[in-house]
């Protein structure tokens, strides 16, 4: 690292996706400005969003616009250099991938955009960037981010739990939109037995305090559904939605080709005045039963990504042993070592070809 007039420059090996399934290892130099830190990533997990880029399942115009790109937005690391008085080298941190424009440009939030001046908040910043989507992600030797986007991991939270903070924070953010209803005793149904559904149900139980009598999870695969021991469970194809008592809140976590059936089953299940939160991601438009939405006076809420405050709340909750025990169910039996671009490619290929229930967690050895 060398000093310049007002910045430092850091060189980084960077595993970039040039086009679907074509990776290269390049060295890039980045300026480190006042208020920024240099993080060495240590653990990172692979998201389905990463795989959509890697396998070319995003729309062609999106791939053309975004590539080349370094993937991965779920990760932790250690600070190796800091130009911030708030945090110094050696700190163990979780990386917040959503970087609002006011942090990048070092201006007050009210000077950034309407979202940063109020609701919906900085995770919808008009000028923001997101690691592994609109800027290079975590799969690099050194990562430069605003110090505010490198949150210290509390003592008592192991690395392998902290690496799941991004996923939990997205669920936390979505649930926070109906927190008043939950605090008033609302019942919740979660649609989806994959990772998004699991993290959402886990946060509902461990952070928001819902027990089995108020938390129902729908899934399509009995073995997956069996992992949700803290919730009531039902196989979606065996459930009689027409005669069910109904729920106050439904959260759709399926995405992809199952979005249509899950959303419409959720609408069927909602009580009058209920709320449907949409979290599943699909590349296609989804037909929904608008007649019942109107007749029930239902509210549809979309929720994507999270902010620094959501990370902070989740990291504090992760100190609880019971929450850690639940999260360990979705961790792999072993970490995947990554020492080269070949190792990285193998990890992506294995995850893309065998999309199991457990997360793939890479351990970087630089």
């Amino acid at each position: 690292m060398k000093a310049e007039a007002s910045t430092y420059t850091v060189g980084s090996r960077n595993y970039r996706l040039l086009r679907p399934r074509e990776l290269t290892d390049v060295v890039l130099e980045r300026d480190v400005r006042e208020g920024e830190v240099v993080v060495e990533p240590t653990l990172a997990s692979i998201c389905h969003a990463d795989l959509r880029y890697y396998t070319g399942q995003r729309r062609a115009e999106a791939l053309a616009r975004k590539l080349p790109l370094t993937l991965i937005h779920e990760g932790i690391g250690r600070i190796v250099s800091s130009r911030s008085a708030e945090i110094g080298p050696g700190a163990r941190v979780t990386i917040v991938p959503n970087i609002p424009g006011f942090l990048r440009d070092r201006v007050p939030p009210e000077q950034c955009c309407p979202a940063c001046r109020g609701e919906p908040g900085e995770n919808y910043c008009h000028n923001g960037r997101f690691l592994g989507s609109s800027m290079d992600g975590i799969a690099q030797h050194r990562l430069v981010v605003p110090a505010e986007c490198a949150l210290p991991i509390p003592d008592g939270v192991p690395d392998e739990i902290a690496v799941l903070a991004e996923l939990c924070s997205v669920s936390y953010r979505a649930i926070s939109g109906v927190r008043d209803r939950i605090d008033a005793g609302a019942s919740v149904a979660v649609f989806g037995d994959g990772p998004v559904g699991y993290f959402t149900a886990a946060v509902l139980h461990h952070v928001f305090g819902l027990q089995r009598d108020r938390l129902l999870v729908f899934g399509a695969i009995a073995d997956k559904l069996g992992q949700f021991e803290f919730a009531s469970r039902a196989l979606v194809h065996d459930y009689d939605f027409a005669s069910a008592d109904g729920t106050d809140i439904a959260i759709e976590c399926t995405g992809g080709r199952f979005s249509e059936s899950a959303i419409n089953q959720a609408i069927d299940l909602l009580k009058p005045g209920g709320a449907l939160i949409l979290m599943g991601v699909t590349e296609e438009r989804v037909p929904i039963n608008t007649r019942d939405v109107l007749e029930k006076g239902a509210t549809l809420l979309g929720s994507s990504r999270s902010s620094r405050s959501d990370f902070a709340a989740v990291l504090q909750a992760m100190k609880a042993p019971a929450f850690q025990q639940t999260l360990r169910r979705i961790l792999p039996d072993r970490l995947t070592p990554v020492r080269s671009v070949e190792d990285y490619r193998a990890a992506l290929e294995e995850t893309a070809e065998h999309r199991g229930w457990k997360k793939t967690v890479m351990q970087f050895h630089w």
Side-chain angles (χ1 to χ4, degrees), residues 52 59 255-259 263 280-286:
R52 284 193 289 272
R59 292 175 179 170
R257 66 184 186 276
F258 298 113
S259 285
I263 290 171
V281 177
T282 177
E283 292 294 311
E284 305 301 328
R285 296 188 177 188
V286 178

Side-chain angles (χ1 to χ4, degrees), residues 42-43 160 163 331-338 360-363:
T42 53
L43 293 183
E160 68 272 16
V163 77
L331 286 170
D333 297 330
R334 64 176 184 85
L335 302 178
T336 300
V338 173
T360 297
V361 179
M362 298 177 291
Q363 185 175 44

Side-chain angles (χ1 to χ4, degrees), residues 157-173:
V157 179
D159 286 358
E160 68 272 16
I161 296 297
V163 77
L164 303 176
E166 197 276 337
L167 295 140
C168 292
S169 73
V170 172
S171 296
Y172 181 89
R173 180 74 180 197

Side-chain angles (χ1 to χ4, degrees), residues 67-187:
L67 299 183
L69 179 71
T70 303
L71 302 177
I72 309 297
H73 60 270
E74 303 168 5
I76 66 170
R78 288 190 180 274
I79 293 181
V80 295
S81 180
S82 173
R83 299 203 67 205
S84 168
E86 303 301 319
I87 191 167
R92 190 172 60 113
V93 296
T94 187
I95 300 162
V96 179
N98 189 60
I99 301 177
F102 66 85
L103 289 181
R104 192 181 70 251
D105 298 333
R106 311 312 296 183
V107 299
E110 56 270 18
Q111 294 182 17
C112 184
C113 72
C116 292
R117 287 193 285 271
E119 293 296 336
E122 66 183 53
N123 57 317
Y124 289 102
C125 175
H126 298 191
N127 305 311
R129 298 290 184 270
F130 196 84
L131 297 179
S133 177
S134 52
M135 65 182 294
D136 282 338
I138 293 173
Q140 49 187 310
H141 179 219
R142 296 286 190 268
L143 179 69
V144 179
V145 295
E148 296 89 340
C149 293
L151 296 186
I153 299 170
D155 293 339
V157 179
D159 286 358
E160 68 272 16
I161 296 297
V163 77
L164 303 176
E166 197 276 337
L167 295 140
C168 292
S169 73
V170 172
S171 296
Y172 181 89
R173 180 74 180 197
I175 298 164
S176 295
V178 291
R179 184 163 197 161
D180 55 343
R181 300 192 191 199
I182 290 175
D183 291 345
S187 57

Side-chain angles (χ1 to χ4, degrees), residues 258-309:
F258 298 113
S259 285
E260 179 181 349
S261 58
I263 290 171
N264 287 296
Q265 287 162 343
I267 293 170
D268 289 344
L269 193 63
L270 280 179
K271 294 178 181 178
L276 169 58
I277 301 174
L278 305 175
M279 293 184 66
V281 177
T282 177
E283 292 294 311
E284 305 301 328
R285 296 188 177 188
V286 178
I288 66 171
N289 179 4
T290 56
R291 176 174 292 277
D292 278 1
V293 170
L294 299 177
E295 290 184 356
K296 291 184 176 184
T299 301
L300 272 62
L301 303 170
S303 188
S304 176
R305 301 178 177 174
S306 56
S307 65
R308 294 167 294 142
S309 61

Side-chain angles (χ1 to χ4, degrees), residues 222-240:
D223 289 345
K224 289 184 178 180
L225 200 56
Q227 301 293 332
F228 295 72
E229 293 183 348
F230 49 86
S232 297
R233 293 155 286 178
L235 287 168
V236 69
H237 46 267
D238 293 339
Y239 196 80
D240 185 0

